[in-house]
Coordinates of all heavy atoms in Angstrom, one line a residue:
K1 N -0.8 -2.6 -12.0 CA -2.1 -1.9 -11.6 C -3.0 -2.9 -10.8 O -2.7 -4.1 -11.0 CB -2.8 -1.3 -12.7 CG -3.3 -2.3 -13.8 CD -3.9 -1.5 -14.9 CE -4.3 -2.5 -16.1 NZ -4.8 -1.8 -17.2
P2 N -3.9 -2.5 -10.1 CA -4.8 -3.4 -9.3 C -5.7 -4.2 -10.2 O -6.1 -3.7 -11.3 CB -5.6 -2.5 -8.4 CG -5.6 -1.2 -9.0 CD -4.3 -1.1 -9.8
G3 N -5.9 -5.5 -9.9 CA -6.8 -6.4 -10.5 C -8.1 -6.5 -9.7 O -8.9 -5.5 -9.7
G4 N -8.2 -7.6 -9.1 CA -9.5 -7.8 -8.3 C -9.7 -9.3 -8.1 O -9.8 -9.9 -9.2
C5 N -9.6 -9.8 -6.9 CA -10.0 -11.3 -6.7 C -10.6 -11.4 -5.3 O -10.7 -10.5 -4.6 CB -8.6 -12.1 -6.8 SG -7.4 -11.7 -5.5
K6 N -10.9 -12.6 -5.1 CA -11.6 -12.9 -3.8 C -10.7 -12.6 -2.6 O -11.2 -12.1 -1.6 CB -12.0 -14.4 -3.7 CG -13.4 -14.7 -3.4 CD -13.7 -16.2 -3.5 CE -15.2 -16.4 -3.1 NZ -15.5 -17.7 -3.2
K7 N -9.3 -12.9 -2.7 CA -8.4 -12.7 -1.6 C -8.4 -11.2 -1.2 O -8.2 -10.9 0.0 CB -7.0 -13.2 -1.9 CG -7.0 -14.7 -1.9 CD -5.6 -15.2 -2.1 CE -5.5 -16.7 -1.9 NZ -4.1 -17.2 -2.0
C8 N -8.6 -10.2 -2.1 CA -8.4 -8.9 -1.8 C -9.8 -8.2 -1.8 O -9.9 -7.0 -1.8 CB -7.5 -8.1 -2.8 SG -8.0 -8.1 -4.4
D9 N -10.8 -9.0 -1.8 CA -12.2 -8.6 -1.7 C -12.5 -7.6 -3.0 O -13.1 -6.7 -3.0 CB -12.5 -7.7 -0.5 CG -14.0 -7.7 -0.1 OD1 -14.7 -8.6 -0.6 OD2 -14.4 -6.8 0.7
F10 N -11.9 -8.0 -4.1 CA -12.0 -7.4 -5.4 C -11.7 -6.0 -5.5 O -12.1 -5.3 -6.3 CB -13.5 -7.7 -5.9 CG -13.8 -9.0 -6.0 CD1 -14.5 -9.7 -5.0 CD2 -13.4 -9.8 -7.2 CE1 -14.8 -11.1 -5.1 CE2 -13.7 -11.2 -7.2 CZ -14.4 -11.7 -6.2
S11 N -10.7 -5.6 -4.6 CA -10.2 -4.2 -4.6 C -8.9 -4.0 -5.4 O -8.6 -3.0 -5.9 CB -10.0 -3.7 -3.2 OG -8.9 -4.4 -2.6
G12 N -8.2 -5.2 -5.5 CA -6.8 -5.0 -6.1 C -5.8 -4.8 -5.2 O -4.6 -4.8 -5.5
Y13 N -6.1 -4.5 -3.9 CA -5.1 -4.1 -2.9 C -5.4 -5.0 -1.7 O -6.5 -5.3 -1.4 CB -5.3 -2.6 -2.5 CG -4.9 -1.7 -3.6 CD1 -5.9 -1.1 -4.4 CD2 -3.6 -1.4 -3.8 CE1 -5.7 -0.2 -5.4 CE2 -3.3 -0.4 -4.9 CZ -4.3 0.1 -5.6 OH -4.0 1.0 -6.6
K14 N -4.2 -5.4 -1.0 CA -4.3 -6.2 0.2 C -3.3 -5.6 1.2 O -2.1 -5.9 1.0 CB -4.1 -7.6 -0.2 CG -4.4 -8.5 1.0 CD -4.4 -10.0 0.4 CE -4.5 -11.0 1.6 NZ -5.8 -11.0 2.3
G15 N -3.7 -4.9 2.2 CA -2.8 -4.4 3.2 C -2.2 -3.1 2.8 O -2.5 -2.4 1.8
R16 N -1.4 -2.5 3.7 CA -0.7 -1.2 3.5 C 0.7 -1.3 4.0 O 1.0 -2.1 4.7 CB -1.5 -0.2 4.3 CG -2.9 0.1 3.8 CD -3.6 1.3 4.6 NE -5.0 1.4 4.2 CZ -5.4 2.3 3.4 NH1 -4.5 3.2 2.9 NH2 -6.7 2.5 3.0
F17 N 1.4 -0.3 3.6 CA 2.8 -0.2 4.1 C 3.1 1.3 4.2 O 2.4 2.2 3.6 CB 3.8 -0.9 3.3 CG 3.9 -0.4 1.8 CD1 4.9 0.5 1.5 CD2 3.0 -0.9 0.9 CE1 5.1 0.9 0.2 CE2 3.2 -0.4 -0.5 CZ 4.1 0.5 -0.8
A18 N 4.1 1.7 5.0 CA 4.5 3.1 5.1 C 5.6 3.5 4.2 O 6.5 2.7 4.0 CB 4.9 3.3 6.6
V19 N 5.5 4.7 3.7 CA 6.6 5.3 3.0 C 6.9 6.6 3.8 O 6.0 7.2 4.4 CB 6.4 5.6 1.6 CG1 6.3 4.3 0.7 CG2 5.1 6.4 1.3
Y20 N 8.1 7.0 3.7 CA 8.4 8.2 4.6 C 9.7 9.0 4.0 O 10.4 8.4 3.2 CB 8.7 7.8 6.0 CG 9.7 6.8 6.2 CD1 11.1 7.1 6.3 CD2 9.3 5.4 6.2 CE1 12.0 6.1 6.4 CE2 10.3 4.4 6.3 CZ 11.7 4.8 6.4 OH 12.6 3.8 6.5
E21 N 9.8 10.2 4.5 CA 11.0 10.9 4.2 C 11.4 11.5 5.6 O 10.6 11.9 6.4 CB 10.8 12.0 3.2 CG 9.8 13.0 3.4 CD 9.4 13.9 2.3 OE1 9.8 13.6 1.2 OE2 8.8 14.9 2.5
I22 N 12.7 11.6 5.8 CA 13.3 12.2 7.1 C 14.2 13.3 6.7 O 15.2 13.0 6.0 CB 14.0 11.1 7.9 CG1 13.0 9.9 8.2 CG2 14.5 11.8 9.2 CD1 13.7 8.7 8.9
L23 N 13.9 14.5 7.2 CA 14.7 15.6 6.9 C 15.5 16.0 8.2 O 14.9 16.4 9.2 CB 13.9 16.8 6.4 CG 14.5 18.2 6.3 CD1 15.7 18.1 5.2 CD2 13.5 19.2 5.9
Y24 N 16.8 15.8 8.2 CA 17.6 16.2 9.3 C 18.0 17.6 9.1 O 18.5 18.0 8.0 CB 18.9 15.3 9.4 CG 18.5 13.9 9.7 CD1 18.4 12.9 8.7 CD2 18.3 13.5 11.0 CE1 18.1 11.6 9.1 CE2 18.0 12.2 11.4 CZ 17.9 11.3 10.4 OH 17.6 10.0 10.7
T25 N 17.7 18.5 10.1 CA 18.0 19.8 10.0 C 19.5 20.2 10.3 O 20.1 19.5 11.2 CB 17.2 20.7 10.8 OG1 17.3 20.3 12.2 CG2 15.7 20.6 10.5

């Protein structure tokens, strides 16, 4: 779970990434 520190501006999160699903018809 998120903590919080100076590097992440105390949010517990740093950056984003994509998740996806691909449905071939």
Side-chain angles (χ1 to χ4, degrees):
K1 62 183 177 182
C5 68
K6 229 177 185 177
K7 286 188 177 183
C8 64
D9 206 17
F10 300 97
S11 69
Y13 296 96
K14 189 168 175 66
R16 294 180 185 262
F17 63 97
V19 292
Y20 54 89
E21 60 190 15
I22 302 172
L23 173 59
Y24 293 97
T25 56

